[in-house]
Amino acid sequence: MNSLKTYNSFGVDVACHELLLIHEIHQLIDFLMHNESPFIILGGGSNVLFTQDFLGTVLVNRLSGIEVKHLDDERVLVTAGGGVLWDDLVSFCVSKSYHGIENLTAIPGTVGAAPMQNIGAYGVELAFCFHSLKALNLSTKGPEVFDKTQCEFGYRSSVFKTRLKNKYFITSVSLVLQKKASLNLTYTPVKEAIDSLGIKQPTLVDVKNIINDIRWSKLPKPSELGNAGSFFKNPVIDKAAFNALLMQYPNIPHYLVDEGVKIPAGWLIEQCGWKGKIIGNTGSHAKQSLVIVNYGQATGAEIIAHAQRVQSSVLERFNIKIEAEVNIY
Ligand code: FAD
Ligand code: NAP
């Protein structure tokens, strides 16, 4: 058995039968041709929770390379291998002054996993600059291209997390980025930080650095405390349900979105008294209760049990079912 402890950001100590690092697409095709055993795909392991040993093969995406195609005076098409670290791609683009993904700085994991849940942060999501992706169909073993519409991106969702889950291995992702300055400063804490630093004309590098600082002032680094970022998705409820809640909780934070009203799950969890609460080896983080933490030797089962306690109390108090964002195995 091969340990997966260093292959998941929760740091859960489980094992798998075989671990195969995919550096070239032909390795993946060879594996699919000759293997009958069960398998799962892994990027950086920063959005997974293993609850048991995996009695099959874990395919780790290490497909590398970044290519740039100049489209016109204003835009570039940047294509990165699925195994490139997402944050390395962000740093590369910022260093070249390509605008579009700087707000997504410091999100752990790989480029290939980014479309899975349409990664998002600080007012930007992958879909905003997404062009297309290439993926290997795991049944036909042939390559296919998906454009933005075919990816069915939604709030922390895509067709690869829903209808086509476990059906494709994403091998590369292409983004259209802007050569001229176009910054997204809609997220209040980012705007406030820029103002408080007295920056009159923020640059791409300013935005990246500021978001990096805000992020790590609040979030535990997986290298220091095991976690997978937000354990739950922010629930989106309909307006009638929201109005009923507002009567009871006039200060409830909320954001209008296309599908209804988004309530920060972290606030709901905090109201239920979980912020900073530790039970055994796990608990809800003291600075952001949406993050469940492994305080040392937690098992996946302990982490799941904690998540279920949190979910039940939010359901009981607010009649809102918060769903896991993390992929559970
Ligand atoms: P993994 O955890 O390895 O995999 C996640 C899922 O995708 C699994 O089901 C896996 O089978 C599947 N998968 C992975 N690669 C492929 C592929 N190539 N083809 C097909 N399926 C694949 N997320 C956000 O959206 N915004 C944030 O701001 C954010 N901040 C975070 C902060 C911290 C500290 C942490 C730990 C996590 C954070 N996350 C955030 C979650 C996580 O970083 C992202 O979801 C990231 O995209 C996961 O990438 P990964 O390579 O680690 O995926
Ligand atoms: P925060 O600023 O404390 O805000 C709490 C929640 O309110 C966020 O989840 C955010 O929703 C929502 N929100 C705040 N301002 C908003 C606005 N102007 N418009 C719409 N929604 C708004 O959040 P945080 O925990 O420090 O995280 C900061 C950002 O990083 C967020 O975008 C968050 O999604 C992202 N993040 C994600 C993960 C993950 O694992 N998925 C982990 C850490 C951070 P949104 O989540 O929709 O933005």
Side-chain angles (χ1 to χ4, degrees):
M1 296 290 274
N2 297 273
S3 172
L4 290 170
K5 192 170 163 52
T6 58
Y7 287 86
N8 72 100
S9 64
F10 258 122
V12 167
D13 198 3
V14 288
C16 63
H17 265 166
E18 206 191 331
L19 195 63
L20 184 58
L21 307 186
I22 305 291
H23 292 278
E24 305 281 346
I25 295 177
H26 73 79
Q27 286 178 277
L28 180 58
I29 297 172
D30 280 356
F31 171 82
L32 295 171
M33 297 282 214
H34 301 111
N35 204 287
E36 299 282 295
S37 65
F39 63 88
I40 55 175
I41 301 166
L42 204 62
S46 63
N47 204 16
V48 293
L49 174 61
F50 291 114
T51 57
Q52 55 193 326
D53 287 343
F54 181 67
L55 305 177
T57 304
V58 173
L59 303 172
V60 184
N61 191 349
R62 290 283 162 83
L63 298 171
S64 60
I66 301 179
E67 281 172 22
V68 177
K69 188 175 165 194
H70 292 267
L71 296 176
D72 52 40
D73 285 352
E74 301 196 333
R75 301 169 310 147
V76 282
L77 183 73
V78 178
T79 300
V84 170
L85 290 179
W86 173 260
D87 201 36
D88 286 352
L89 178 63
V90 174
S91 296
F92 171 84
C93 293
V94 169
S95 75
K96 301 279 182 197
S97 288
Y98 301 153
H99 298 68
I101 53 174
E102 55 284 355
N103 290 35
L104 304 179
T105 178
I107 297 182
T110 53
V111 166
M116 283 289 298
Q117 67 161 22
N118 182 22
I119 55 167
Y122 302 95
V124 170
E125 57 187 44
L126 179 79
F128 291 3
C129 60
F130 180 87
H131 177 271
S132 59
L133 62 78
K134 282 191 186 153
L136 198 81
N137 182 320
L138 298 171
S139 304
T140 66
K141 301 163 193 67
E144 290 180 27
V145 176
F146 286 73
D147 67 16
K148 193 166 159 175
T149 309
Q150 289 167 313
C151 288
E152 297 176 17
F153 288 126
Y155 177 59
R156 303 291 188 271
S157 173
S158 76
V159 71
F160 303 103
K161 206 168 177 178
T162 52
R163 215 159 41 78
L164 298 183
K165 191 165 170 72
N166 301 325
K167 304 264 189 258
Y168 286 86
F169 187 114
I170 298 169
T171 51
S172 69
V173 175
S174 298
L175 308 173
V176 175
L177 302 175
Q178 305 297 321
K179 291 185 199 169
K180 293 184 181 155
S182 66
L183 299 171
N184 182 323
L185 308 176
T186 51
Y187 208 84
T188 313
V190 178
K191 185 86 189 68
E192 282 173 357
I194 286 169
D195 291 345
S196 76
L197 289 167
I199 302 173
K200 294 280 176 270
Q201 285 189 317
T203 63
L204 201 51
V205 175
D206 290 331
V207 173
K208 181 180 188 286
N209 290 342
I210 283 168
I211 291 182
N212 203 60
D213 289 350
I214 300 176
R215 183 173 268 279
W216 296 123
S217 69
K218 211 168 160 185
L219 272 178
K221 286 193 173 161
S223 55
E224 292 161 14
L225 267 186
N227 75 88
S230 306
F231 196 92
F232 300 102
K233 286 201 254 188
N234 292 321
V236 176
I237 61 174
D238 65 40
K239 287 203 175 127
F242 173 70
N243 287 334
L245 267 183
L246 192 60
M247 303 270 279
Q248 229 182 325
Y249 304 97
N251 298 324
I252 186 167
H254 60 279
Y255 302 93
L256 295 181
V257 292
D258 291 345
E259 301 85 353
V261 185
K262 180 178 74 179
I263 317 276
W267 184 85
L268 298 169
I269 296 166
E270 194 175 333
Q271 297 304 302
C272 294
W274 289 110
K275 196 169 186 179
K277 208 163 236 187
I278 300 176
I279 299 182
N281 289 309
T282 183
S284 302
H285 193 246
K287 289 188 185 161
Q288 172 48 290
S289 50
L290 196 47
V291 177
I292 296 183
V293 170
N294 175 1
Y295 284 104
Q297 306 298 325
T299 61
E302 277 178 280
I303 293 170
I304 281 286
H306 185 71
Q308 284 167 349
R309 283 192 288 269
V310 171
Q311 244 170 347
S312 303
S313 57
V314 170
L315 184 63
E316 200 175 305
R317 175 144 176 202
F318 296 100
N319 196 26
I320 295 178
K321 187 171 187 309
I322 50 169
E323 286 172 17
E325 178 177 297
V326 170
N327 300 276
I328 295 162
Y329 291 97

